[in-house]
Amino acid sequence: MISKYTIQLKLITEIFWRFILLGCVSFGGPAAHIGYFHRTFVKKLAWLTPDTYGQLVSLSQILPGPGSSQVGFALGLHRAGLLGAVAAFIGFTLPSFLLMYCLAIYVDVATQASWLVNVMYGLKLLAVVIVFDAILNMSTSFCKALSAKGIALASAFTLILFSGYYVQLTVLVVAALIGLAARPVDQHRPAKKRLGAKVVWWPLLLFFAVFALSMLFATQGSYAGLAAVMYQNGSLVFGGGQVILPLLQQSTGEVLSHQELIFSYAAAQGVPGPIFSIASYIGATVIPSAPMHGALVATLAIFLPGFLLVLALHNTWQSIMSKPSIAGISWAVNASVVGLLAAALYDPLLTYAVQSLFDYVMVILGIASLRWAKVNVLVLLVGFILIGFLRWL
């Protein structure tokens, strides 16, 4: 007779291999990842119903953290408990983690080699295209009301005029307070409460405890400082992985140049798997004496807060979101995040990456290709790298 432990091991092994295969081919960003998951785990394998999958996706959209990775984590949790969730995370993240690590180790952007400078030129233009497209998509979803547009604009202007990590944090807190006071009725749709569903308190308490502890560590170049910065960034990313750029710009400015940050951000868009794997590059760069250790610390720290929140709330998110106060906070913070990303589009992207009329033409063509011609991001990546090589030749 097969023991329950053998069955559990088989489930975890299957989860790992399913996700590592997806991690090798999942190009296109979070929205595309969610489509891959639906096709594999809902349509093909029938691990869960479309309604249950829709609930997991909704949960990932209202929580800070890496949206598609949170869905994958929740899928593993649904299938085989906590060990299944860990297997899903490792499988989906490992390919992009290794690719970004290799870029950090073997590609030295500081050497200013002529071919590399020109490839980076193309990647910087691609980053402008991707961030602009993300702003348009997010504003359509999060800034429907005039009041939401006002929050987004106020956030953008504040962050353009006053830079700094704590300025960003203050803007998000103020937006949350506005949402708490406003509680917009049109954004609030009560959902059925799941009887017997309860918050799992230990991961929620751990989330806040680690965040509070992270504020005490700010030593650049140390493991503790690296983990603290990555955990804080992972705790504050609302709206998808693209939003990680403005947070990283402020929190890693002392150890990463604009050149390195934009290069790593553009590269993270081009590899399969989660954008949050940019942490692998940052960790390896910040801890050059032990790059693999740095990459592991940074990657685990940036993913941890989002996973703790999924673990705490995956059974009870519907009843929580039925509260007007929580719905209001989510509405206002999402609107503020659009402004956060718009400020990052201005600085460092437009001010640093776009320098000539040709640059503007290439960016406009890239945006048109991505939005209206529906060209795959991987094709755009190759195209902008070729632009860089042609410039070099």
Side-chain angles (χ1 to χ4, degrees):
M1 183 176 179
I2 301 176
S3 70
K4 64 178 182 180
Y5 299 107
T6 303
I7 295 173
Q8 181 78 354
L9 181 60
K10 287 183 177 179
L11 281 175
I12 293 169
T13 302
E14 182 185 13
I15 289 169
F16 174 78
W17 285 113
R18 294 285 183 186
F19 274 95
I20 200 170
L21 289 174
L22 285 170
C24 291
V25 299
S26 293
F27 294 94
H33 300 164
I34 290 172
Y36 296 136
F37 291 164
H38 182 271
R39 183 169 62 248
T40 301
F41 300 113
V42 178
K43 287 189 173 181
K44 182 179 177 182
L45 299 176
W47 281 7
L48 67 175
T49 65
D51 286 344
T52 302
Y53 182 72
Q55 292 172 4
L56 299 183
V57 173
S58 297
L59 175 64
S60 73
Q61 298 305 304
I62 65 167
L63 295 177
S68 59
S69 292
Q70 286 174 311
V71 172
F73 185 83
L75 282 165
L77 190 65
H78 176 85
R79 182 68 173 171
L82 183 57
L83 290 178
V86 172
F89 160 65
I90 294 174
F92 189 59
T93 310
L94 185 60
S96 56
F97 170 88
L98 293 174
L99 287 170
M100 295 300 293
Y101 174 78
C102 289
L103 281 176
I105 295 301
Y106 298 112
V107 179
D108 184 5
V109 299
T111 60
Q112 299 295 310
S114 57
W115 70 269
L116 180 58
V117 170
N118 287 283
V119 168
M120 287 179 60
Y121 161 79
L123 290 177
K124 287 185 290 185
L125 296 182
L126 175 63
V128 176
V129 171
I130 290 170
V131 171
F132 186 83
D133 181 69
I135 292 170
L136 292 181
N137 290 333
M138 291 169 63
S139 61
T140 301
S141 300
F142 299 146
C143 298
K144 295 178 181 178
L146 185 61
S147 52
K149 291 181 174 68
I151 291 172
L153 287 173
S155 299
F157 281 119
T158 300
L159 292 168
I160 289 171
L161 294 174
F162 307 99
S163 62
Y165 176 76
Y166 290 103
V167 176
Q168 291 180 330
L169 182 58
T170 301
V171 166
L172 291 173
V173 170
V174 170
L177 293 174
I178 292 172
L180 182 63
R183 302 183 185 184
V185 176
D186 59 332
Q187 299 294 327
H188 166 55
R189 293 176 184 164
K192 282 185 180 180
K193 294 185 179 182
R194 301 178 70 177
L195 298 178
K198 294 181 180 179
V199 173
V200 182
W201 285 105
W202 71 262
L204 190 61
L205 294 174
L206 185 59
F207 167 83
F208 287 110
V210 176
F211 187 86
L213 187 63
S214 73
M215 305 300 286
L216 303 176
F217 295 94
T219 306
Q220 298 285 355
S222 69
Y223 288 114
L226 175 64
V229 167
M230 291 296 105
Y231 187 88
Q232 290 166 20
N233 285 323
S235 301
L236 297 173
V237 174
F238 290 86
Q242 291 87 350
V243 184
I244 198 67
L245 176 62
L247 294 173
L248 290 174
Q249 177 198 357
Q250 298 297 335
S251 59
T252 63
E254 295 183 20
V255 291
L256 282 184
S257 66
H258 278 174
Q259 192 178 34
E260 289 174 315
L261 179 60
I262 294 176
F263 173 76
S264 61
Y265 180 78
Q269 303 284 342
V271 302
I275 295 173
F276 268 38
S277 292
I278 190 176
S280 172
Y281 181 98
I282 293 171
T285 304
V286 171
I287 312 289
S289 60
M292 177 55 78
H293 294 163
L296 286 170
V297 168
T299 302
L300 293 174
I302 203 170
F303 279 98
L304 180 60
F307 292 165
L308 287 174
L309 291 175
V310 170
L311 192 60
L313 303 175
H314 74 284
N315 283 328
T316 189
W317 73 272
Q318 287 182 319
S319 61
I320 291 173
M321 280 303 294
S322 69
K323 300 179 184 299
S325 58
I326 302 299
I329 290 173
S330 176
W331 163 80
V333 167
N334 284 333
S336 182
V337 161
V338 176
L340 194 79
L341 201 54
L345 176 66
Y346 173 74
D347 184 18
L349 288 178
L350 287 177
T351 57
Y352 181 68
V354 183
Q355 302 292 331
S356 67
L357 178 61
F358 178 79
D359 295 346
Y360 278 105
V361 171
M362 290 299 99
V363 167
I364 291 170
L365 288 175
I367 292 168
S369 300
L370 187 61
R371 290 196 65 81
W372 293 289
K374 305 300 182 184
V375 174
N376 189 281
V377 172
L378 183 61
V379 176
L380 279 181
L381 173 70
V382 173
F384 276 97
I385 289 176
L386 286 176
I387 289 171
F389 267 114
L390 290 174
R391 184 171 180 258
W392 175 50
L393 295 174

